[in-house]
Amino acid sequence: MRAKAAGDGVDVYLFLRAASEAAALHQAHAIIDGARAPLQAHGYSTTGPHH
């Protein structure tokens, strides 16, 4: 994982090892879903990927 300051918050980059792209996306969604409630409890939010 890497974090980088952004104009409107922090961009977090996840590096995942998986058998397929679908498996990596599933892992990423699980990580974000698990982090969403604690982040919101501290006044932060999650957004979709930046392209």
Side-chain angles (χ1 to χ4, degrees), residues 14-50:
L14 298 174
F15 298 90
L16 304 169
R17 183 179 307 243
S20 67
E21 184 176 352
L25 288 171
H26 180 74
Q27 289 177 13
H29 284 286
I31 291 167
I32 292 169
D33 289 345
R36 188 171 280 121
L39 287 169
Q40 289 176 345
H42 293 282
Y44 297 100
S45 65
T46 60
T47 62
H50 295 270

